[in-house]
Amino acid sequence: MMTEREPIVSVVTPTFNRADYLHHAIESVLAQTVDRFELLVVDDGSTDATPELMERYAGDPRIRYFRQPNQGQSVARNRGIREARGDFVCFLDSDNAWLPDKLAKSLEVFRENPECHVVYGDYIEIDQWGRELGLNRMRRYSGAITPELLKDNFVSMNTTMTRRGCFEVMGGFDEADRLAEDYGLWLRLSTRYCFYYLAEVLGFYRVMEHQISSDKRRRLYANEKILLSFLETYPDSVTSEQRCRGLSHFYLRRARFLASEKSYLEAYRDIGRSIRQDALWPGPWRGAAKVTLRAVIP
């Protein structure tokens, strides 16, 4: 039990049959230059060697291990949030890892920017063997980020640190969503809280086949449902112009992906949606020309 030195940061790691990678995630947390943390590993019904792996860490008071029937990552993450004792909450998936100064740099941002509630940064993609594939170069934003979030989810969850009070006020992950649960969370938090983008690499994101997150088509259609539901629930979170521009960007982005998959009919439908949202923006018109060229010229 931590009494004299309660944790400042609670790290939530949901896991399901990731025993081959989980120890890398755990060791990257234990290697942090900040020592006042707790690591909550929530085992969502693993049938592999995860329980045996966790026995290695049974003597470490910083690590708390929970087992539950398989219910999905959102349920596991929410369990971690409920169990958290720190003032700040971070999420680290069991197949990813952090750089040693991830917590220290995030806490420094909070000390220097007390008005902010969510800090996040960049990450390097790695393959299943841990080889670096390159820096993820999405454009990211600080401040009141809702209008930009409508266009794309650029908040990389595994790099975030969030004040625990945000979850107490706005709730946690949507447990019905198993594809893009973090997107809905950041949209909701963005209606009330300030985000801070720390332009530094904070961790590693493992890219593997058969990941839920690797099915980009399903994820994009799930994102559409999340966006429309969010805008219906929080209609005053953006102006009408911001809503239209955001949706126009989203549909154009999905059209580009569909065209890359040679799903040209679906791509044209999304370009039409993009134009209807914001006909004065030249983006979808240029997109239509590019899709046509792609379809005509193999």
Side-chain angles (χ1 to χ4, degrees):
M1 294 290 291
M2 293 187 183
T3 53
E4 294 182 2
R5 289 175 60 81
E6 285 292 320
I8 297 174
V9 181
S10 296
V11 182
V12 176
T13 294
T15 188
F16 175 70
N17 289 346
R18 281 290 188 261
D20 291 342
Y21 302 103
L22 176 58
H23 65 287
H24 295 297
I26 293 174
E27 293 299 328
S28 78
V29 175
L30 298 181
Q32 291 297 300
T33 57
V34 170
D35 61 358
R36 289 185 61 185
F37 63 82
E38 62 174 355
L39 172 59
L40 293 79
V41 178
V42 184
D43 185 347
D44 192 41
S46 294
T47 57
D48 63 358
T50 295
E52 290 76 15
L53 170 65
M54 292 308 300
E55 288 179 4
R56 302 183 200 171
Y57 302 99
D60 193 325
R62 298 169 296 178
I63 300 178
R64 301 163 65 196
Y65 177 52
F66 306 90
R67 278 181 61 81
Q68 65 183 33
N70 181 258
Q71 301 169 74
Q73 284 195 116
S74 295
V75 176
R77 290 191 182 108
N78 284 341
R79 170 76 180 277
I81 292 171
R82 291 194 301 272
E83 298 285 351
R85 297 179 297 188
D87 295 327
F88 302 93
V89 176
C90 297
F91 302 101
L92 177 63
D93 289 347
S94 55
D95 47 7
N96 298 326
W98 284 341
L99 292 175
D101 54 1
K102 189 274 183 191
L103 294 183
K105 287 183 176 180
S106 300
L107 288 171
E108 182 179 2
V109 171
F110 278 114
R111 283 192 293 269
E112 296 178 354
N113 302 271
E115 76 283 1
C116 289
H117 287 75
V118 182
V119 172
Y120 72 104
D122 294 316
Y123 62 87
I124 293 173
E125 292 184 350
I126 58 176
D127 65 15
Q128 63 186 77
W129 298 282
R131 297 177 301 202
E132 293 188 10
L133 301 175
L135 176 67
N136 180 275
R137 297 184 180 277
M138 291 186 72
R139 187 172 182 179
R140 310 184 197 276
Y141 301 86
S142 294
I145 64 172
T146 308
E148 299 301 334
L149 265 183
L150 296 181
K151 302 173 184 177
D152 198 357
N153 180 16
F154 48 79
V155 179
S156 49
M157 181 172 61
N158 283 258
T159 70
T160 59
M161 179 181 286
T162 306
R163 294 187 190 274
R164 191 179 64 175
C166 296
F167 302 109
E168 296 170 356
V169 174
M170 301 295 288
F173 295 89
D174 181 353
E175 297 184 355
D177 185 5
R178 294 197 173 206
L179 275 178
E181 62 271 17
D182 61 317
Y183 193 18
L185 175 67
W186 306 133
L187 281 166
R188 278 189 285 116
L189 294 189
S190 75
T191 65
R192 188 181 182 102
Y193 300 115
C194 173
F195 283 61
Y196 187 101
Y197 165 49
L198 176 60
E200 296 192 37
V201 173
L202 301 179
F204 301 94
Y205 179 79
R206 197 180 303 272
V207 179
M208 298 185 293
E209 292 184 6
H210 310 304
Q211 281 178 311
I212 293 176
S213 59
S214 66
D215 190 340
K216 191 168 183 178
R217 173 186 285 267
R218 288 180 62 206
R219 201 151 39 86
L220 283 167
Y221 280 95
N223 284 351
E224 180 186 21
K225 292 181 179 179
I226 290 170
L227 277 174
L228 298 179
S229 176
F230 167 76
L231 290 168
E232 182 178 353
T233 306
Y234 297 91
D236 299 325
S237 61
V238 290
T239 66
S240 59
E241 291 81 5
Q242 289 170 337
R243 172 195 171 101
C244 291
R245 180 57 58 89
L247 287 174
S248 186
H249 272 264
F250 168 77
Y251 285 121
L252 177 59
R253 182 165 59 88
R254 192 169 70 182
R256 287 170 175 160
F257 168 76
L258 292 168
S260 72
E261 297 282 291
K262 301 188 185 309
S263 299
Y264 297 118
L265 181 58
E266 290 179 274
Y268 280 123
R269 285 173 179 166
D270 270 351
I271 287 175
R273 294 184 178 103
S274 179
I275 291 172
R276 286 194 293 274
Q277 289 293 335
D278 193 350
L280 296 180
W281 178 46
W285 300 103
R286 290 196 297 263
K290 290 179 180 179
V291 169
T292 299
L293 284 174
R294 182 186 288 266
V296 172
I297 304 175

